[in-house]
Amino acid sequence: MACSCSAPEPKSPAPGFRRALWIALWVNLAMFFVEGLASLSSGSVSLMADAIDFFGDSANYILSLTVLSMGMLWRGRAAMVKGITMTVFGLVIWARAVWVVQAGITPEPLTMGAVGLLALAANVSVVALLFRFREGDSDMRSVWLCSRNDAVSNIAVMVAALGVFGTGSAWPDLIVAAIMGTLAITAGISVVRHARSDIAEAKASKAQPGAASSSSR
């Protein structure tokens, strides 16, 4: 997905963003444990992918909270790390899906559907909370993309559960897992591009006389 917004003018976090991050952090940590246990009991790759994604988002929120009061340069660097992490996550999911194909494992659809619905409710609440920050700097945008992708992934997991239930095959689960991995890769690339723009802007601002101190290293 291409990044459609330009580097932001504001150099300080939007009001309420820190509080929103803390709420999102705890919701994601809770769902990581719930989905992680459910993925082990059901054998679902897409559910495991969603659980790992929850954990990755939690780590990203912690990173965002750490650099929130810092300048644009450090926030851009944090977004760069998150973008790379999202891309790696997608590649790992693809590798896991290939492994399951070779192992011939068929997941349990009822657990997939029930936990996917719970995860969707959790993520919709986080998406609604973060919606107004989606056009901020690269760090805010990466947080928004992570949450948006999670909500889409939850719907996909439930679709996969229906597919597994109807066909008795693991392929619906594997296809959804592959889509989730691809979505993570494209979103990660988008965040990296936006982060590079923010970093370049911050460095250019620092090089100019009278540059704002908030963009300092």
Side-chain angles (χ1 to χ4, degrees), residues 5 14 38 42-43 47 51-52 76 85 87 91 108 125-126 133 141 145 147-148 169 174 179 182 187 197-198 213:
C5 58
S42 67
L47 204 58
I52 295 173
T85 301
T87 303
L91 295 174
E108 198 281 302
S125 65
V126 173
F133 305 110
R141 181 169 174 78
L145 284 173
S147 302
R148 184 213 62 183
S169 167
L174 295 172
I179 293 173
T182 302
S197 176
D198 281 357
S213 59

Side-chain angles (χ1 to χ4, degrees), residues 118-151:
L118 177 62
L120 177 62
N123 271 317
V124 166
S125 65
V126 173
V127 168
L129 184 67
L130 296 172
F131 182 79
R132 66 190 180 100
F133 305 110
R134 70 192 186 284
E135 298 296 343
D137 61 29
S138 59
D139 188 48
M140 291 183 184
R141 181 169 174 78
S142 67
V143 168
W144 156 253
L145 284 173
C146 285
S147 302
R148 184 213 62 183
N149 288 354
D150 281 348

Side-chain angles (χ1 to χ4, degrees), residues 72-87:
M72 181 64 66
L73 181 59
W74 279 106
R75 284 153 60 190
R77 287 170 174 169
M80 178 72 73
V81 171
K82 288 188 285 186
I84 294 172
T85 301
M86 292 166 70
T87 303

Side-chain angles (χ1 to χ4, degrees), residues 11 73-74 77 199-217:
K11 299 305 181 183
L73 181 59
W74 279 106
R77 287 170 174 169
I199 291 172
E201 180 189 358
K203 288 182 176 180
S205 177
K206 181 183 177 183
Q208 296 174 357
S213 59
S214 62
S215 298
S216 60
R217 297 171 67 110

